[in-house]
Amino acid sequence: METPLFARMDDLVEVQSVLTLTVDGQIVSAEAGESVAAVLLRLDPPLSRTTPVKASHRAPFCMMGVCFECLAVVDGVASTQTCLVEIRHGMSVERQHGRRDLGILSAGSADETVCFGSDTPTFLVQP
Amino acid sequence: MTAPVDLLIIGAGPAGMSAAVQARRSGLSVMVVDEQPAPGGQIWRAIEKRAGTRTGDLLGQEYAAGMPLVKAFRDSGASYLPQTQVWQIEPGWQVFMSRAEDAECIRASNVLVATGAQERPGPFPGWTLPGVLTVGAAQILMKNAREIPASAPWIAGSGPLVLLYMVQLLRAGGRIAGWLDTTPPGAWGRGARHLPSALHRLPELLKGFAWLREVQSAGFPIVRGVTQLRADGEKRLQKISFVTAKQETGSVEANLLLIHEGVVPSIHVTQALGCEHTWSDTQHCFHPVVDCWGGTSKPGIFVAGDGTGIGGARAAQARGTLAGIRIAERVGKLREEDAERVAAPVKRELAKEMAIRPLLDAMYQPRAEIFSPPDDTVVCRCEELTAGDIRAAITVGASDPNQVKSMTRAGMGPCQGRQCGYTVAHLLSEAHATPIKEVGFYRVRPPLKPLTLGELATLTHESTER
């Protein structure tokens, strides 16, 4: 286990409301108003994702929305820029790994919709 | 459906907020959209939370100086949409944006692009490893989450932001392992002839000297004239190696490296709009061509702040105010002579603020190797293409950035060229011995920020009526 990259400055006087969220199932405490990416950088490994091309490890890089390295699954929505999202109590964050999985289900009756996407359906087709 | 507005401002930083306040004074209907949860841009990020706290104090007076404008902005009556990303602008002007998985189209007579700047991409082998972040990112972590490095970081780069962050980190009780100063040797020689102009901003100069002294007295190693950099590690940063202009070499163990090679205007929106751009030799960047009000080559599209060229927060405020004045005149709420009268002191203020720039630009030039990195350097971070891959594509005939893009996918990842566009342009410039001004940048296509099909489907027919 290595030293995390970042840690909160010691000043309990300034701590506002403490919330908890999960990162890959692990319960983590955080302060209201901070970004999800900031939380990821306090953890070990400081990983947000592995890349779709070569499964390389990546972590938040610019913290301002122009590098897209901080992408992770937030409350079921994949490829969320975690540096632009404030944590919420009970939020579920999952690191995203490799390529997007297109979980194509087989359609049965004429009324059944076909969903693409392994988490939040983003594309619904009526056969 | 939301009613059309006189002015839609993209970005709630110093320029955007100043323009909103000014335009509201003339009674314009103003909407400000910003992707962050609170106003302040990057320089005053999280200011409403931090002002008056210990964290706010150690960030310095430049940071505290933002509160009056933020208050004025909140009180101005401008409609403000945080956590909203603009992804397309069509003639009309029709501005398409998304917030919380809901897309909307707002019509505006005038659009002010106040999206500021980003750190200049400075690729080197290993820069994509977890553990390598920008200095700006570290500063944002301090503002947004009260975080500092858990162990002493190495810092590699040059420029005022590097000095400021080092001072802020030291004041926060943090330590620095060392600074690899990448400022090309001869900085004062380059800057000397710009000193008279810079003396108009004596307080800024003295502050810069004070930062230098504070940094030097901290006692950590400073390596000057670093020309080459390499990061190594298995899945995360473990080691940094460097070479200097004097051919000294070194390598250190490290798990955190903060990098910075200056700041460049964000040109994504104006590129997508087809505004005319030009190359600045002094700031080594593209920027939109604007008149003294911030008006671009597209009537009704304005730019204010660092997006016109790097000038800092106070210059951004002046530019935002000037754009607000001109747009009020355009809309018929201000007479031309009144506009000139109100603008005169603001123009003088802008000129004063810009007086220090030639010195800073001459001294803090980017490290040459970032424009011609070794073949094994990842240049397109999203698609994991190396400088060698790009050079190979150029060799087999890709003759401009868009051909490189088509052939390799460089620029097609989520960042849409924000991290690779300049490097690809420089590699083409080098291969063809063509000035980068003529090489140009990728064609930027919508959506400017990612959006899902689900969001797109929430656009109602009414919201796209002409």
Side-chain angles (χ1 to χ4, degrees):
Chain A
M1 168 110 158
E2 296 200 37
T3 325
L5 292 183
F6 284 86
R8 209 180 285 129
M9 283 190 272
D10 271 333
D11 195 330
L12 293 172
V13 175
E14 279 177 49
V15 171
Q16 291 162 24
S17 52
V18 174
L19 313 177
T20 58
L21 62 152
T22 60
V23 178
D24 284 343
Q26 177 196 357
I27 297 173
V28 175
S29 72
E31 214 170 293
E34 61 175 327
S35 66
V36 174
V39 173
L40 292 176
L41 285 167
R42 290 204 293 277
L43 303 177
D44 179 59
L47 187 70
S48 43
R49 67 188 185 108
T50 59
T51 59
V53 182
K54 294 180 185 171
S56 305
H57 283 218
R58 297 289 171 92
F61 174 74
C62 79
M63 290 301 296
M64 57 173 280
V66 297
C67 76
F68 294 78
E69 298 289 11
C70 65
L71 304 182
V73 184
V74 174
D75 286 338
V77 180
S79 297
T80 302
Q81 285 174 283
T82 55
C83 68
L84 295 175
V85 173
E86 279 185 344
I87 57 133
R88 281 184 304 275
H89 189 68
M91 180 183 265
S92 154
V93 176
E94 293 155 353
R95 296 179 174 98
Q96 64 187 50
H97 293 285
R99 235 163 254 155
R100 186 68 178 271
D101 174 32
L102 294 179
I104 298 173
L105 312 169
S106 51
S109 72
D111 291 324
E112 216 172 70
T113 54
V114 176
C115 298
F116 291 80
S118 58
D119 37 65
T120 309
T122 56
F123 185 37
L124 296 171
V125 171
Q126 212 91 32
Chain B
M1 184 187 116
T2 313
V5 293
D6 295 321
L7 170 58
L8 190 141
I9 301 173
I10 309 172
M17 288 193 286
S18 297
V21 168
Q22 181 61 43
R24 283 295 303 149
R25 271 189 203 125
S26 295
L28 271 61
S29 54
V30 178
M31 175 177 287
V32 179
V33 308
D34 188 275
E35 63 187 356
Q36 283 190 59
Q42 300 310 329
I43 185 168
W44 299 325
R45 188 128 175 192
I47 192 174
E48 288 173 314
K49 254 190 320 193
R50 304 289 173 225
T53 66
R54 184 183 152 252
T55 307
D57 290 341
L58 65 87
L59 287 165
Q61 59 171 157
E62 299 268 344
Y63 184 75
M67 258 330 272
L69 177 56
V70 171
K71 284 203 177 95
F73 169 66
R74 288 279 194 192
D75 293 340
S76 68
S79 155
Y80 166 53
L81 300 180
Q83 302 208 276
T84 303
Q85 290 188 323
V86 169
W87 44 268
Q88 167 64 323
I89 303 175
E90 285 182 356
W93 296 100
Q94 298 186 91
V95 183
F96 294 84
M97 60 191 77
S98 288
R99 177 174 69 259
E101 292 161 65
D102 200 62
E104 196 177 359
C105 175
I106 310 272
R107 291 194 60 118
S109 320
N110 299 274
V111 176
L112 174 63
V113 181
T115 50
Q118 62 167 76
E119 281 166 285
R120 174 182 284 110
F124 55 89
W127 74 310
T128 55
L129 286 167
V132 180
L133 286 89
T134 61
V135 170
Q139 197 183 57
I140 288 168
L141 283 162
M142 194 181 277
K143 292 169 181 171
N144 171 260
R146 299 191 307 111
E147 277 178 31
I148 55 173
S151 54
W154 276 84
I155 298 177
S158 80
L161 185 63
V162 174
L163 286 174
L164 175 58
Y165 178 71
M166 290 195 289
V167 163
Q168 290 168 332
L169 179 56
L170 292 168
R171 286 182 193 160
R175 289 173 308 114
I176 295 167
W179 174 22
L180 302 175
D181 182 0
T182 60
T183 312
W188 283 110
R190 288 192 295 276
R193 74 176 202 273
H194 300 293
L195 204 46
S197 172
L199 286 171
H200 287 109
R201 300 303 303 147
L202 192 57
E204 262 64 51
L205 271 182
L206 293 176
K207 196 166 51 178
F209 282 124
W211 291 347
L212 271 168
R213 272 199 308 277
E214 202 169 330
V215 159
Q216 277 157 352
S217 66
F220 54 81
I222 300 175
V223 181
R224 302 280 184 196
V226 171
T227 53
Q228 296 172 46
L229 208 48
R230 175 175 289 266
D232 287 297
E234 180 71 33
K235 293 181 181 167
R236 60 188 294 173
L237 174 68
Q238 286 163 325
K239 186 176 87 166
I240 305 164
S241 319
F242 58 87
V243 181
T244 71
K246 292 179 185 166
Q247 298 303 315
E248 302 149 323
T249 61
S251 99
V252 292
E253 278 183 16
N255 76 338
L256 180 57
L257 171 64
L258 304 175
I259 60 176
H260 183 81
E261 290 292 336
V263 179
V264 293
S266 288
I267 54 173
H268 240 60
V269 178
T270 46
Q271 284 276 336
L273 280 164
C275 298
E276 195 190 333
H277 287 71
T278 189
W279 174 259
S280 162
D281 280 322
T282 50
Q283 295 196 337
H284 303 277
C285 62
F286 288 107
H287 64 85
V289 174
V290 291
D291 61 25
C292 64
W293 305 102
T296 67
S297 58
K298 300 277 174 180
I301 302 290
F302 291 77
V303 185
D306 275 357
T308 61
I310 305 305
R314 281 186 300 269
Q317 288 174 255
R319 287 199 197 276
T321 304
L322 289 170
I325 293 167
R326 174 73 184 114
I327 291 165
E329 192 205 326
R330 237 183 147 247
V331 159
K333 294 270 174 77
L334 199 58
R335 292 178 313 172
E336 192 184 334
E337 50 272 32
D338 291 330
E340 292 291 352
R341 184 179 43 84
V342 175
V346 184
K347 288 182 179 178
R348 283 195 297 274
E349 172 71 17
L350 176 60
K352 211 168 57 123
E353 287 304 326
M354 294 302 285
I356 198 176
R357 285 312 319 180
L359 173 72
L360 296 177
D361 293 342
M363 287 180 65
Y364 298 117
Q365 308 240 340
R367 179 169 69 92
E369 202 197 46
I370 64 173
F371 301 135
S372 181
D375 276 345
D376 64 334
T377 312
V378 170
V379 164
C380 172
R381 296 177 63 113
C382 299
E383 297 293 323
E384 301 197 78
L385 296 158
T386 64
D389 294 329
I390 306 299
R391 286 183 175 115
I394 297 171
T395 303
V396 300
S399 60
D400 66 45
N402 297 303
Q403 288 194 10
V404 168
K405 187 193 222 185
S406 302
M407 206 180 282
T408 63
R409 286 194 57 86
M412 286 192 189
C415 95
Q416 301 175 311
R418 289 173 175 90
Q419 298 297 322
C420 66
Y422 275 111
T423 316
V424 167
H426 277 289
L427 288 171
L428 280 159
S429 166
E430 180 186 60
H432 296 143
T434 307
I436 189 163
K437 175 182 184 153
E438 288 163 35
V439 172
F441 202 82
Y442 295 132
R443 173 163 294 136
V444 176
R445 295 197 183 281
L448 301 174
K449 288 284 172 129
L451 83 160
T452 65
L453 287 169
E455 278 169 17
L456 196 51
T458 65
L459 269 182
T460 58
H461 177 69
E462 288 77 27
S463 63
T464 55
E465 256 170 16
R466 283 172 194 274

